Amino acid sequence: MERTFAIIKPDAVERNLIGKVLDKIETAGFRIVGMKKMQLSRAQAEGFYYVHKERPFFGDLCSFMSRSPVVVLCLEKENAIADWRTLMGATNPANAEAGTIRKEFAKNIEENTVHGSDAPETAAFEIPYFFSALELA
Ligand code: CMP
């Protein structure tokens, strides 16, 4: 079993898409180990995305991620990291495969509905950034 970290981003929460995204997650066989809705501060968004701090889109990305609530999730299944990335689809929805969450719901490359860890080391940083051990059931 493997765990990964996911976010349902502000563009999706604003459009009342939490339930539709969760349905796809559960239908694909992920177990929801941890879940909470929260409002990120600008500093919390910057800390989460620090690996992108030199990118030209960093400022806009942190403004977007802190403009309204998100849902953060810890997901578990075999091959969870790769399988969640497959279910999300490409970062840019214009390049996403049919049937993926970003193809169906994402607005553009920035407001792309969901986030997922890209590697085990990333998941090992991202899960405890948001969840304590007691919150992972
Ligand atoms: P995510 O998977 O959360 O990882 C980093 C985020 O930065 C990405 O999804 C997008 O929301 C955003 N992002 C990545 N590339 C770009 C880009 N070229 N322009 C704007 N935002 C981007």
Side-chain angles (χ1 to χ4, degrees), residues 9 49 52 57 61 91 102 109-112 114-116:
K9 295 185 179 186
Y49 278 121
H52 296 304
F57 57 80
L61 174 63
T91 304
R102 285 169 170 161
I109 193 170
E110 179 176 274
E111 300 199 15
N112 63 356
V114 281
H115 166 84

